[in-house]
Amino acid sequence: APARISHLKHAAITVKVSATGTTPTGKIRIYNGSTLVGSGTLSGGKVTITIARLSKGKHTLSIRYGGSSRVNPKSKSISTTSY
């Protein structure tokens, strides 16, 4: 995700999920705190998600992969600033 995002625009975040021996499938959800700001379905192990506009200030976004029958769920937090 971009380190800085304009509060006037929607940001696009590309998420890649990798696993040994398989190409992950399933849904990615992005949260700002407990609020869902975007979601998408993996294709070829990646997806680009346009998230909702963020208010000005610092945000910690949680990117969550729900897993599949072959790949365990994963999550990662990233920090960004909306200006």
Side-chain angles (χ1 to χ4, degrees):
R4 292 174 46 86
I5 299 171
S6 170
H7 75 284
L8 300 173
K9 298 180 181 178
H10 297 271
I13 298 174
T14 298
V15 179
K16 296 178 185 175
V17 179
S18 60
T20 303
T22 188
T23 301
T25 59
K27 283 213 56 106
I28 298 287
R29 291 178 175 84
I30 301 176
Y31 292 86
N32 181 22
S34 61
T35 303
L36 180 67
V37 293
S39 65
T41 302
L42 291 171
S43 176
K46 68 180 180 176
V47 62
T48 299
I49 300 169
T50 300
I51 64 168
R53 289 189 298 246
L54 302 174
S55 60
K56 287 185 179 181
K58 293 184 179 189
H59 299 272
T60 299
L61 301 178
S62 175
I63 301 170
R64 300 179 191 167
Y65 168 58
S68 69
S69 61
R70 303 176 100 199
V71 182
N72 290 331
K74 298 179 184 183
S75 66
K76 180 177 182 175
S77 293
I78 57 170
S79 296
T80 191
T81 300
S82 182
Y83 61 92

